Amino acid sequence: MFANSFPLIGNPPIQFSGLTVDTTPKFPPGFVLSAVDPWWGAGEFIYARAAGTIPTQNLVTFTPVFDSTLHSYRYDCVVAPNTANVGRMLGVAMKGMASGDYGWCQSAGLCPVSCGASVAADTSFG
């Protein structure tokens, strides 16, 4: 389990799995956090809102969306399409999320990935 590198109080855990439903944001979506795991090493994570069902450790893409209720932008994530030249930043969902849930997605560092595509190590995705 990744541990927060900064002493933030009330930090929702960065976890590889879990059944917690988190529909109330604990940080502004798009918040970037550094964390460390004894096995996987250092990583960087983005706090995002699921815009659909996302399985644990699946590749996701991020889209900034304007929230007219809060008058601010939030980061929504969806399962990454397996198409060429998507041109978007990829992340890995740390837990399974349903539409409207908030959670952490790893954007830098090493972690396990669950992907249905035939992707060889050290090659571009999509």
Side-chain angles (χ1 to χ4, degrees), residues 9-62:
I9 296 173
N11 176 35
I14 298 170
Q15 57 193 7
F16 282 123
S17 63
L19 301 174
T20 57
V21 176
D22 191 4
T23 56
T24 305
K26 307 295 189 275
F27 290 109
F31 186 82
V32 177
L33 179 75
S34 294
V36 177
D37 179 81
W39 179 261
W40 296 104
E44 193 169 81
F45 298 83
I46 296 177
Y47 194 65
R49 180 180 176 270
T53 302
I54 301 172
T56 303
Q57 298 171 336
N58 244 240
L59 289 175
V60 297
T61 58
F62 300 98

Side-chain angles (χ1 to χ4, degrees), residues 9 23 27 36 39 42 61 68-69 77 79 86 92 113 117 119-120:
I9 296 173
T23 56
F27 290 109
V36 177
W39 179 261
T61 58
S68 60
T69 305
C77 58
V79 173
V86 174
V92 179
V113 176
V119 181

Side-chain angles (χ1 to χ4, degrees), residues 26 53 81 83 91 105 115:
K26 307 295 189 275
T53 302
T83 56
C105 298
C115 180

Side-chain angles (χ1 to χ4, degrees), residues 41-110:
E44 193 169 81
F45 298 83
I46 296 177
Y47 194 65
R49 180 180 176 270
T53 302
I54 301 172
T56 303
Q57 298 171 336
N58 244 240
L59 289 175
V60 297
T61 58
F62 300 98
T63 304
V65 176
F66 186 73
D67 186 338
S68 60
T69 305
L70 300 174
H71 304 291
S72 64
Y73 279 91
R74 69 170 188 249
Y75 274 79
D76 283 2
C77 58
V78 295
V79 173
N82 188 16
T83 56
N85 301 321
V86 174
R88 292 202 166 169
M89 183 173 75
L90 289 174
V92 179
M94 290 290 100
K95 68 173 190 165
M97 295 185 278
S99 186
D101 286 351
Y102 289 87
W104 295 105
C105 298
Q106 188 167 357
S107 59
L110 297 173

